[in-house]
Amino acid sequence: MSKCLNKTTIPTIPFHDDTNKLDNEKDVLQDFNVENVITGYVGYFDPNFVKDELKDWDDVDVVEKEKTFKVTSWKRKLSKRSSNDIVQQSTTLWNLDRIDQTTNKLDKKFKYPSSAGKGVNIYVIDTGISIAHKEFEGRAKFGASFCDKCSNIDDNGHGTHVAAIVAGKTFGVAKLSNVIAVKVLDKFGIGTSSSVIAGLIYVFNEHMKNKNKNTIINMSLAGSDDSLTINLIMQKLFAAGIHVVVAAGNNFHSNSCNFAPASSPHAITVGAIDESDKLTDFTNIGQCVNIFAPGKNIQSAWKSSNTSTKILDGTSQATPHVSGTIALMISKSGNKSPSQIKNDLINISTKNVIKDIPSKNTNTKILILDINNGLNIASPNNLLKVPG
């Protein structure tokens, strides 16, 4: 947050008085501002005031209750250059092997452009990053922390795991890219909408002041429901040229459009498949999902030591595959607008290979019944592929 205003400076706004819930740090009004276009406040207000007055103010567009955000993964268990400027890595990692080819006949190789994401900055909005881990080879750094009473380290492990899928020397897609930790989730992998908003605004400000505009945000997290406020900020990030990649969520084939930040049309929303090109049982689906990527049995770096690894499942793990791929695209062919990059990403993806599509549906859509709404949810049948 840019600054805190003590409640006595705005006496006309009644704050919610609940001494059982609030501590001395929580009876304040916090404000945020994005280029004087989006201005907001976070605080504890009297519920009757919110219902009867605040929502009706002419200069108030949105009033939302604070939401909970969580990581979107589960714990499972603890080259050479070619003449056509392609690097080939021998690998037993099925996820990397899968995304460099159109078929599921894996060849134990991962082929990617030799530029390898160099010069691209990926901000990992998560639990932090163990920046000293050998996977990052000095390309990881700490940016900022916004969650309540959080340290600057990754005391959960999730952010380190995600960042190494983006940029790790062994486990990563874009092996020369830079990853920056923006900590908005605590040691339990839990945060709030205000901490996520603060993280997004931090990246926006960094992007605006930096000469290097090759900026990607990776958000391997999901809210308890949708958030118009966060989606408004995502729209501003999009307009600034920032590529935002988000997890579809792990609500077992629920509609991703019901959850933030997956619902944002200004993000690239990622669902998860398994080793057989099938939808995982946990991935969310729906029209807000743009692309699917490997998200089951994914090995990557962990927080326990500078060499530790762990295998996790989740759309959290699928998402950084896409962030890394965008970094490859930018370093190989130059940066473009978020909409152009999104279109290019979809164009090079492998079409119509994700299995278990009901026969009554079209070849280009996955249709699954949304039990909550009684409607069919269509998801594009696009499987991630890195540029050649």
Side-chain angles (χ1 to χ4, degrees), residues 301-366:
W302 195 244
K303 70 179 179 70
S304 302
S305 72
N306 291 346
T307 58
S308 62
T309 67
K310 188 176 283 290
I311 295 175
L312 299 182
D313 296 348
T315 53
S316 277
Q317 281 56 55
T319 304
H321 288 86
V322 176
S323 295
T325 298
I326 293 173
L328 294 180
M329 295 167 64
I330 293 172
S331 65
K332 177 185 177 181
S333 304
N335 202 354
K336 300 178 183 179
S337 71
S339 60
Q340 290 174 310
I341 287 289
K342 188 174 186 177
N343 289 337
D344 290 348
L345 181 76
I346 300 305
N347 286 339
I348 67 173
S349 68
T350 303
K351 311 295 191 300
N352 305 325
V353 296
I354 302 174
K355 298 177 182 177
D356 291 341
I357 301 175
S359 59
K360 67 178 181 179
N361 300 323
T362 67
N363 290 330
T364 57
K365 297 288 183 182
I366 303 165

Side-chain angles (χ1 to χ4, degrees), residues 104 129 201 206 215 219 224 231 252 277 310 336 360 362:
N104 199 26
I129 300 174
I201 293 173
E206 290 293 297
T215 305
M219 299 178 72
S224 52
N231 286 350
F252 301 95
D277 288 354
K310 188 176 283 290
K336 300 178 183 179
K360 67 178 181 179
T362 67

Side-chain angles (χ1 to χ4, degrees), residues 132-187:
H133 199 289
K134 290 186 177 181
E135 272 294 302
F136 302 117
E137 304 175 299
R139 291 174 288 104
K141 70 176 184 178
F142 173 77
S145 178
F146 297 99
C147 51
D148 186 35
K149 299 177 182 177
C150 284
S151 66
N152 294 346
I153 65 171
D154 182 5
D155 44 8
N156 176 277
H158 184 269
T160 299
H161 198 274
V162 166
I165 298 171
V166 175
K169 67 176 182 179
T170 305
F171 306 110
V173 176
K175 301 176 186 297
L176 296 180
S177 63
N178 307 309
V179 284
I180 300 99
V182 181
K183 186 165 183 172
V184 302
L185 306 177
D186 63 17
K187 64 182 179 180

